[in-house]
Amino acid sequence: MKAALKKIYRLEGLGDFGPGLVSGAINRFKEIAEEKKQNPPDPAWPTSKPGQLGSFRKGLQALPNAAARYLGEDRVRTGWALEGVKKTAEDEYEATFKTDEGMKTIKAKSVVLTVPTRVACKVAADVVPAAKRLEDVYSPTVAGVSMAYKKEWFKPLPNAEQGKPLNG
């Protein structure tokens, strides 16, 4: 348990009422609240409610674009489509990309894939044969839909009272 579920294992020892997850979780919530007081987030950061989906103001490309600016365009390539990864005899990796200038191959000591399973099963199969099984993982399409209505378009509901829940 300790090796596989470190955070849960730790909860068992945090409790005031002897070993137990509930008592430990209560104390962990207190620790988290204290940690937030001691190290508050930057007020310039956007806020969100727990469980609320978030995004970047300039879209998902904001993160790799920022990494490219910080690390340099020679270390982070954007706009390249990964075609495959293979391991070399020197225990390095070769990643092959489709670019506007044609196919390019890059050698690296390590590779991190942050792609959907449908892509990982194709590009990583030579390095990790079990990646082929990712074809069997269902990845649903996700869409975020926002809707806005004018306040006057809403009609009052029968028997509805301001500030009280609807029952029925």
Side-chain angles (χ1 to χ4, degrees):
M1 171 91 158
K2 184 178 180 181
L5 304 167
K6 291 177 189 173
K7 290 181 180 181
I8 292 175
Y9 179 81
R10 183 173 176 265
L11 291 179
E12 289 184 337
L14 284 178
D16 291 333
F17 312 114
L21 292 178
V22 174
S23 180
I26 291 168
N27 283 342
R28 180 61 185 134
F29 287 136
K30 290 176 187 174
E31 281 182 358
I32 291 169
E34 187 59 33
E35 288 167 8
K36 285 181 181 178
K37 281 183 195 172
Q38 292 176 6
N39 189 18
D42 186 331
W45 292 354
T47 58
S48 62
K49 297 174 186 167
Q52 180 183 26
L53 293 177
S55 188
F56 296 99
R57 286 189 181 104
K58 295 183 180 179
L60 292 178
Q61 73 272 11
L63 186 59
N65 288 344
R69 281 192 306 275
Y70 182 78
L71 297 172
E73 301 277 334
D74 58 321
R75 294 182 64 199
V76 177
R77 310 302 197 291
T78 59
W80 289 20
L82 181 63
E83 293 289 313
V85 178
K86 66 180 181 178
K87 200 157 191 174
T88 68
E90 298 84 31
D91 211 27
E92 292 183 330
Y93 297 92
E94 284 186 352
T96 305
F97 297 88
K98 187 188 301 182
T99 73
D100 291 341
E101 295 86 34
M103 300 300 280
K104 303 263 184 178
T105 300
I106 303 277
K107 281 191 174 187
K109 292 179 185 175
S110 61
V111 175
V112 177
L113 291 179
T114 56
V115 296
T117 55
R118 62 184 161 70
V119 176
C121 69
K122 294 177 181 132
V123 299
D126 289 341
V127 178
V128 183
K132 192 75 174 147
R133 294 182 51 213
L134 291 172
E135 287 179 323
D136 301 333
V137 175
Y138 173 69
S139 297
T141 301
V142 177
V145 178
S146 298
M147 298 170 60
Y149 297 95
K150 292 182 179 181
K151 195 171 186 175
E152 60 266 18
W153 293 353
F154 288 91
K155 297 178 186 175
L157 294 172
N159 302 322
E161 293 182 44
Q162 186 73 23
K164 292 191 176 180
L166 289 174
N167 296 317

